[in-house]
C-alpha cells in the first residue's frame, strides 16, 4: 500500500496511511553523497524477492557497501549502506517476498577504532 | 403501458455520469454523454457509447444550456434524458423542453417540480397537510408591536431576516425578549438601507439541529414509498461532506412520523421517480425544510443499506415498469457511510486543488464502493465543483462502519491533486461524530480553522529519503530524466 510517484519534479509519497509531497534536499540527482539525516535504515523500494543478504547482525559496513540484493520485475536491485556503522537488525532472509516500504535492515552509526 | 428506451442521453458529468452509464449498461441501454469541451479526458467520456460536445467549459454555456442539451440528446439519437443532480435536474423549464422535443425526462413532471421546488408553494402544501414547518412569521403586518409579539410566540433563539434580501445579509439572531425591540428595529433599518425595503421575516433558529432526509420514490402507478432516512449533519457552509444511513439519532416513533410526512407531501404533489424530503430535527421535534426533486449525491448510502439500485429504478419507472413491488420485503440492514472526496488542500482551509491526476489506487474489498469520474492522467479543472469521487462503505453497525471508512481512506492513494482526506480522517475520529451527537453546527464549532499539517515523522522521512535515492540511482543508471513520469493517455 506504500507507494510513490514523481510528478513534474515533485515526489508524491503515500506511506502508512498518509500522503505527502517530499522535497528532500535540493541536490538529489547526480550526487550520491552520504546523507547524515538518513538514520541507517533500509526499506524495500519496491515489492520483490530478497535474493542475497550479504551482511549479518554485528557486521561492520561502510558507505556504498552492498548490504542486500533483491529482484523485482526481472530487475536486480542492490541496497547499499550509506553510513559507516554496524548491522543492528536484519529483518528479512533470502527467498522472502517483501512489500514496498518494508523495513529490511537497521544499521547503527558506529565507528570502531 | 411500458415504453422501451434504447438510448439515454446523460446531461451531467463526473462520477454521476459514470453512475448513470453503469445502470444503463446493466439494462442494455445505450448511452450518449452530453459534455463540455474540457470534459473529454474523463472516465464517463471513455465509457459512454456516444459522446456529444454541447459547449465550452463555462457551465452557463454547456451544462446549464437547455437548448444545447436538448439538441445534443436529439442529435445523439436518444429517447430519454437523465439530468443527474445539480445543473438542470430541478429545472422545470428543462423538463418541459425535453417533453416538447419528444424526449422522456427521467424525473418528476414539470408540474410536480414547480410545486415542490418553489419554497412558498411547498410550504403551503405542507401546511395544508398539517406537516410541521419551522415556526416563523412572514406576515404583512410589520408594526413593532406585532413583530415582538410574534417573536415571543416563536420562542428564542430566533433569526430576523430581510424579506427582500438574501445571502445572509441583514440577518440577526435574537436570544432573549429583552433585546427584541432594539434588534428588530435595527434589522428593519439595515434592511431598508441594503435592499430598499424594511420588511422582515422571523424564523425560529435551530442552533443544534440534525439534518435528516428521507429517500422517497414514486413508481409508475403513482404509489409513493420511502426507503428510510439519511443523516447529513456534517456540512461546511451547507455543503455536505459526510452522509450516512440510517440516522443514529431517530427513535422508531420519529422515523415513522417523518417517513409518513415525506410520503404525504410527495404523494400530494403527484411525485414520480426518485426524490428527497429534507427535515431538521431538534429536541425530538422535526420540521420540513425542503423537497429535492432529483436523485441526490448521497443516494448511494441508501442503496447500500436497502439493497436497491435507485438509478435503475428511475429508468424502469420512466419506462412505466414496476419497481419495489415487494415493499414489505425491503428492510434496512447494517449501516452505511459516504465521504465526499474534494480536490482541495485541507491544510490551506480547503482551497481547491487542480492539476493532472497521478497514480490512483482504490482499496477494493467487501462492503467498499467507489464512485469516481477521473483516472490517472485526467485533468481536474477549475471550472466545476471540486468533488472528484465518493467513498462509500457498509458494515454491520455504525462503529464498524466508521472504522472501515478510516481504514479505506488511509489506504486510498490519490496523487497529483491535494484532497480532503486528512480533513475527513480528523472528523471521523472526533468524539462527537463517533457518538453520533453531531449537529449542523459541528463543522463550524470544531473544524472552521485550517488543519495543521503535522511534521514528517522519522520513519516517513527515512522512507522518503530512500525513495529519493532510488529515483536518483535509477536516473543515473538509465542516463535519462526521471523514468517515473508517465502521463500520456490514449483517448
Amino acid at each position: 500500500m506504500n507507494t510513490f510517484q514523481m510528478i513534474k519534479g515533485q515526489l508524491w509519497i503515500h506511506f502508512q496511511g498518509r500522503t505527502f509531497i517530499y522535497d528532500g534536499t535540493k541536490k538529489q540527482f547526480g550526487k550520491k553523497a552520504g546523507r547524515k539525516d538518513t538514520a541507517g535504515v533500509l526499506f524495500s523500494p519496491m515489492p520483490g524477492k530478497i535474493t542475497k543478504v550479504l551482511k549479518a547482525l554485528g557486521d561492520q559496513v561502510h558507505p556504498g557497501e552492498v548490504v542486500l540484493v533483491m529482484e523485482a520485475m526481472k530487475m536486480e536491485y542492490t541496497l547499499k549502506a550509506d553510513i559507516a556503522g554496524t548491522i543492528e537488525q536484519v529483518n528479512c532472509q533470502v527467498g522472502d517476498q517483501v512489500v514496498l516500504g518494508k523495513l529490511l535492515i537497521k544499521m547503527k552509526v558506529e565507528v570502531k577504532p | 403501458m411500458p415504453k422501451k428506451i434504447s438510448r439515454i442521453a446523460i446531461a451531467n458529468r463526473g462520477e454521476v455520469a459514470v453512475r448513470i452509464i453503469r445502470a444503463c449498461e446493466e439494462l442494455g441501454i445505450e448511452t450518449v454523454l452530453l459534455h463540455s469541451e474540457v470534459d473529454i479526458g474523463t472516465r464517463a467520456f471513455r465509457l459512454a457509447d456516444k459522446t456529444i460536445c454541447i459547449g465550452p467549459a463555462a457551465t452557463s454555456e454547456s451544462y446549464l444550456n437547455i437548448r444545447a442539451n436538448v439538441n445534443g440528446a436529439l442529435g445523439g439519437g436518444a429517447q430519454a434524458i437523465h439530468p443527474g443532480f445539480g445543473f438542470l435536474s430541478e429545472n422545470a423549464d428543462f423538463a418541459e423542453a425535453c417533453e416538447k422535443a419528444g424526449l422522456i425526462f427521467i424525473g418528476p413532471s414539470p408540474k410536480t417540480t414547480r410545486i415542490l421546488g418553489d419554497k412558498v408553494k411547498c410550504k403551503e402544501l405542507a401546511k395544508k397537510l398539517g406537516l410541521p414547518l419551522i415556526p416563523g412569521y412572514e406576515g404583512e403586518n410589520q408594526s413593532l408591536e406585532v413583530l415582538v409579539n410574534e417573536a415571543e410566540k416563536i420562542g428564542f433563539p430566533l433569526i430576523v431576516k430581510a424579506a427582500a434580501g438574501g445571502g445572509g445579509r441583514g440577518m440577526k439572531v435574537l436570544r432573549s425578549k429583552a433585546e427584541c425591540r432594539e434588534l428588530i428595529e435595527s434589522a428593519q433599518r439595515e434592511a431598508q438601507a441594503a435592499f430598499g425595503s424594511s420588511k422582515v421575516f422571523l424564523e425560529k433558529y435551530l442552533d443544534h439541529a440534525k439534518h435528516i432526509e428521507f429517500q422517497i420514490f414514486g413508481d409508475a402507478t403513482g404509489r409513493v414509498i420511502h426507503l428510510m432516512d439519511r443523516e447529513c449533519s456534517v456540512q461546511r457552509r451547507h455543503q455536505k461532506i459526510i452522509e450516512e444511513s440510517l440516522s443514529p439519532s431517530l427513535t422508531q416513533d420519529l422515523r415513522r412520523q417523518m417517513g409518513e410526512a415525506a410520503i404525504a407531501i410527495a404523494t400530494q404533489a403527484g411525485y414520480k421517480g426518485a426524490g428527497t424530503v429534507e427535515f431538521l430535527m431538534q429536541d425530538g421535534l422535526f420540521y420540513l425544510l425542503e423537497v429535492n426533486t432529483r436523485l441526490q449525491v448521497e443516494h448511494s448510502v441508501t442503496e447500500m443499506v436497502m439493497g436497491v439500485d435507485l438509478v435503475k429504478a428511475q429508468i424502469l419507472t420512466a419506462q412505466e415498469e414496476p419497481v419495489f413491488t415487494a415493499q414489505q420485503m425491503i428492510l434496512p440492514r447494517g449501516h452505511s457511510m459516504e465521504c465526499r472526496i474534494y480536490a482541495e488542500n485541507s491544510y490551506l482551509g480547503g482551497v481547491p486543488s487542480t492539476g493532472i491526476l497521478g497514480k490512483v489506487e482504490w482499496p477494493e474489498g467487501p462492503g467498499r464502493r467507489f464512485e469516481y469520474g477521473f483516472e490517472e492522467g485526467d485533468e481536474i479543472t477549475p471550472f466545476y465543483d471540486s468533488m472528484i469521487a465518493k467513498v462509500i462503505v457498509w458494515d454491520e453497525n455504525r462503529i464498524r462502519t466508521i472504522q472501515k471508512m478510516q481504514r479505506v481512506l488511509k489506504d486510498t492513494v490519490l496523487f497529483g491533486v491535494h484532497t480532503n482526506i486528512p480533513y475527513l480522517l480528523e472528523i471521523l475520529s472526533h468524539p462527537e461524530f463517533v457518538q453520533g451527537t453531531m449537529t449542523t453546527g459541528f463543522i463550524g464549532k470544531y473544524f472552521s480553522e485550517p488543519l495543521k499539517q503535522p511534521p514528517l515523522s522519522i520513519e516517513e522521512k527515512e522512507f522518503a529519503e530512500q525513495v529519493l535515492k532510488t529515483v536518483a540511482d535509477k536516473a543515473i543508471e538509465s542516463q535519462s530524466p526521471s523514468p517515473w513520469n508517465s502521463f500520456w493517455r490514449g483517448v
Side-chain angles (χ1 to χ4, degrees), chain B residues 99-233:
Chain B
E99 285 177 5
K100 279 210 180 87
L103 294 161
I104 298 170
F105 177 78
I106 299 175
S109 68
K111 185 164 165 221
T112 301
T113 301
R114 287 209 167 94
I115 298 172
L116 296 175
D118 181 315
K119 282 215 125 170
V120 177
K121 288 208 185 94
C122 185
K123 275 189 185 163
E124 278 169 19
L125 185 56
K127 262 188 214 146
K128 209 170 89 177
L129 294 167
L131 305 181
L133 293 164
I134 300 177
Y137 176 74
E138 287 175 6
E140 292 304 313
N141 192 329
Q142 294 279 308
S143 76
L144 203 53
E145 293 310 314
V146 169
L147 287 172
V148 171
N149 198 34
E150 289 295 327
E152 280 182 74
K153 275 206 291 205
I154 291 166
F156 301 97
L158 67 92
I159 305 178
V160 51
K161 47 184 169 183
R169 285 182 69 194
M171 280 175 60
K172 286 186 191 302
V173 179
L174 270 60
R175 296 191 185 276
S176 70
K177 189 175 156 192
E179 48 182 22
C180 241
R181 292 193 93 84
E182 190 197 305
L183 283 179
I184 291 178
E185 275 185 310
S186 164
Q188 286 176 311
R189 279 195 300 269
E190 281 180 27
Q192 180 67 46
F195 310 110
S197 160
S198 67
K199 186 171 181 203
V200 293
F201 290 156
L202 302 175
E203 192 178 80
K204 185 172 177 71
Y205 181 40
L206 299 169
D207 60 356
H208 56 280
K210 286 168 159 290
H211 176 114
I212 312 276
E213 55 187 44
F214 274 73
Q215 177 68 52
I216 52 119
F217 201 97
D219 69 17
T221 71
R223 182 189 61 149
V224 177
I225 61 165
H226 77 75
L227 290 161
M228 309 309 288
D229 51 277
R230 296 183 288 258
E231 178 163 348
C232 316
S233 300

Side-chain angles (χ1 to χ4, degrees), chain B residues 156-157 204-211 233 280-284 432 437-442 445:
Chain B
F156 301 97
K204 185 172 177 71
Y205 181 40
L206 299 169
D207 60 356
H208 56 280
K210 286 168 159 290
H211 176 114
S233 300
L280 285 180
M281 197 276 288
Q282 181 174 290
D283 301 328
E432 208 171 282
T437 53
M438 67 283 170
T439 68
T440 53
F442 176 77
K445 203 156 134 195

Side-chain angles (χ1 to χ4, degrees), chain B residues 290-466:
Chain B
E290 61 180 18
V291 180
N292 296 323
T293 58
R294 63 172 192 270
L295 182 79
Q296 289 201 267
V297 174
E298 59 269 26
H299 73 276
S300 10
V301 293
T302 293
E303 292 183 324
M304 299 296 268
V305 296
M306 302 297 281
V308 297
D309 184 320
L310 287 167
V311 182
K312 273 166 55 173
Q314 287 179 298
I315 297 170
L316 291 169
T317 299
Q319 290 184 157
E320 310 291 332
E321 286 183 55
V323 291
F324 307 140
T325 41
Q327 155 79 115
Q328 62 272 25
M329 296 304 288
I330 304 178
L331 290 171
R333 186 163 180 269
H335 198 91
S336 180
M337 216 170 254
E338 172 181 277
C339 282
R340 299 190 187 193
I341 309 297
Y342 288 102
E344 61 182 41
N345 194 323
S346 308
Y347 305 115
L348 294 178
V351 163
S353 177
T354 56
I356 298 189
L357 268 188
K359 182 187 287 208
V360 177
E361 252 173 53
W362 300 110
E364 302 276 358
R368 304 166 178 217
R369 174 174 156 183
F370 305 93
E371 302 282 348
Y372 53 100
F374 308 94
E375 295 170 302
E376 181 168 5
D378 289 337
E379 188 180 358
I380 307 301
T381 63
F383 303 106
Y384 310 112
D385 180 276
S386 54
M387 185 179 89
I388 57 172
K390 294 165 5 189
V391 172
I392 303 125
V393 300
W394 178 95
D395 215 312
E396 304 280 346
N397 57 51
R398 190 170 186 269
I399 287 297
R400 289 202 190 156
T401 301
I402 293 175
Q403 288 166 345
K404 183 179 267 178
M405 181 61 86
Q406 289 170 322
R407 178 79 262 150
V408 169
L409 290 179
K410 285 192 182 136
D411 290 344
T412 295
V413 176
L414 272 163
F415 286 160
V417 293
H418 297 282
T419 69
N420 64 336
I421 289 177
Y423 192 68
L424 290 165
L425 286 167
E426 288 294 313
I427 293 172
L428 290 165
S429 59
H430 193 284
E432 208 171 282
F433 181 81
V434 174
Q435 278 158 40
T437 53
M438 67 283 170
T439 68
T440 53
F442 176 77
I443 292 287
K445 203 156 134 195
Y446 304 110
F447 291 100
S448 53
E449 296 297 313
L451 277 193
K452 287 208 166 44
Q453 185 160 19
L456 293 184
S457 68
I458 295 189
E459 263 197 310
E460 283 169 334
K461 247 205 203 130
E462 283 169 358
F463 181 72
E465 282 293 326
Q466 167 108 57

